[in-house]
Amino acid sequence: MSHDERDKAAEAQASLSNERTFLSWIRTALALIVTGVALVAFDIPVDVGWRLGASAILLLLAIANAAQALYSWRANDRALRHGEEIPVLRSGAWIAWGVVASVLLLLVGWVMT
């Protein structure tokens, strides 16, 4: 395999990896949406106000997650095409902390109910 062929293969692999990462973030956003809706739809033993609060956090996280997925995919694609460094992901920790906050809200609501 020539040097040019290896470069094209590596470029294709990086592009496909970027697309898989994008789709993974979209699946995460969908999971956050489903969980947020389920908190309101199902009758779990937590007062409705606490469930609505946790659900709102999850739905806002889903929006942020989908927006971050699109932004990162485009920025990574641009960097790959121009031979630049891949930008650092900065929103992953915020999404994780948001999920933790939502779970804590549910736990407090469960204890208070």
Side-chain angles (χ1 to χ4, degrees):
M1 185 181 274
S2 73
H3 183 66
D4 285 343
E5 289 173 329
R6 278 189 296 236
D7 285 348
K8 286 186 182 206
E11 185 178 312
Q13 185 178 11
S15 179
L16 292 172
S17 177
N18 187 35
E19 186 173 336
R20 283 190 305 272
T21 302
F22 168 75
L23 293 172
S24 178
W25 280 105
I26 294 299
R27 282 190 304 273
T28 301
L30 289 171
L32 290 166
I33 291 168
V34 168
T35 305
V37 169
L39 287 176
V40 177
F42 295 118
D43 189 27
I44 59 174
V46 176
D47 185 59
V48 70
W50 295 98
R51 287 187 287 148
L52 284 173
S55 179
I57 291 171
L58 292 174
L59 293 175
L60 289 172
L61 286 173
I63 293 167
N65 192 358
Q68 176 271 310
L70 182 58
Y71 171 79
S72 290
W73 174 63
R74 292 179 72 192
N76 291 345
D77 186 59
R78 189 177 313 112
L80 288 169
R81 281 188 282 113
H82 294 119
E84 300 167 353
E85 279 194 40
I86 300 295
V88 176
L89 174 67
R90 301 195 188 279
S91 63
W94 287 102
I95 293 168
W97 281 113
V99 170
V100 168
S102 181
V103 170
L104 289 175
L105 200 61
L106 285 174
L107 286 173
V108 169
W110 180 63
V111 169
M112 300 287 289
T113 299

